Amino acid sequence: DLVPLVSYALLGGRCRYCHSRISPQYPLVEALAAAIAVFVALVHPSITGFFFWLLVWLTALFISVYDIRHKVIPLGAAGLLIVLGAADLFFVRPEPFVPALVAGPLLALPLLILCVVSGGRWMGLGDPILMLGLGLLLGLTAGLSAFLIAFVVGAGVGIALMLFTSGYTMKSEVPLGPFLILGAAVVHFFHVDFFSTLSILWH
């Protein structure tokens, strides 16, 4: 009953005992976790690299699902990304230390300003904390690329929701966290960097 994906298919999406319908969220998240494991293995073939980045991206997946469901970023999980980013920065990453260390706070600052100015109405505190962790993990230019992807995709999804879904308006709440994580994943796994020239100057 608990084999990822297989059990859902064999049970026809229903509990074996009470026959209640099982949410499609579960096989979807299981499939995403499997895909993440494959991508991590391809990008980080070493054992330590694989397990480190698998923990990073499974944590990010948890944050995304939680934010979509509850419209709030779990601060403990976002804090774990900060710890992992700091560990990578201090013990693994070969790039210059100071630029990489400053990347996280610089990328989180605009979101923190929006949060403070709006009193949390435009932006929750979880978003800058999440961006701080992603910035430490990605570095400045890759983090900027992830930021750009997140806002472009997020704006596109928001417009589509307003056009094609009843009840959505300009004031409707759309979680930013999943888009930040999507942008970070695109940058990390596909080596997207719109600011490569800036990267040379930065280092």
Side-chain angles (χ1 to χ4, degrees):
D1 290 349
L2 297 176
V3 180
L5 293 175
V6 176
S7 294
Y8 185 86
L10 292 178
L11 294 172
R14 291 186 179 274
C15 174
R16 182 190 302 275
Y17 306 101
C18 69
H19 306 294
S20 296
R21 185 171 296 280
I22 301 172
S23 171
Q25 169 192 322
Y26 295 102
L28 177 60
V29 171
E30 291 165 356
L32 286 172
I36 285 171
V38 171
F39 276 108
V40 170
L42 291 173
V43 176
H44 302 282
S46 69
I47 294 178
T48 55
F50 172 78
F51 283 108
F52 175 85
W53 286 102
L54 183 63
L55 178 58
V56 167
W57 290 111
L58 290 183
T59 302
L61 176 62
F62 166 73
I63 292 172
S64 296
V65 174
Y66 196 95
D67 198 13
I68 291 171
R69 287 290 301 271
H70 303 288
K71 303 296 189 296
V72 63
I73 291 175
L75 298 184
L80 177 58
L81 289 184
I82 294 175
V83 172
L84 292 171
D88 181 54
L89 179 62
F90 276 91
F91 301 113
V92 179
R93 200 176 313 172
E95 65 184 87
F97 179 80
V98 174
L101 180 64
V102 174
L106 281 179
L107 291 166
L109 183 60
L111 301 183
L112 180 61
I113 292 173
L114 288 174
C115 176
V116 172
V117 169
S118 68
R121 294 189 303 274
W122 302 341
M123 188 77 59
L125 182 61
D127 295 298
I129 293 176
L130 172 62
M131 198 63 225
L132 174 59
L134 293 176
L136 290 173
L137 288 162
L138 297 175
L140 181 64
T141 58
L144 283 172
S145 299
F147 212 100
L148 178 61
I149 293 170
F151 274 90
V152 170
V153 175
V157 170
I159 292 171
L161 288 173
M162 286 189 293
L163 290 176
F164 303 110
T165 306
S166 60
Y168 273 89
T169 67
M170 287 291 291
K171 294 184 179 180
S172 297
E173 186 178 2
V174 177
L176 178 62
F179 297 109
L180 292 175
I181 289 170
L182 174 63
V186 170
V187 166
H188 180 81
F189 290 117
F190 300 100
H191 307 292
V192 175
D193 191 346
F194 301 123
F195 305 96
S196 55
T197 302
L198 177 61
S199 178
I200 297 173
L201 297 175
W202 178 250
H203 294 115

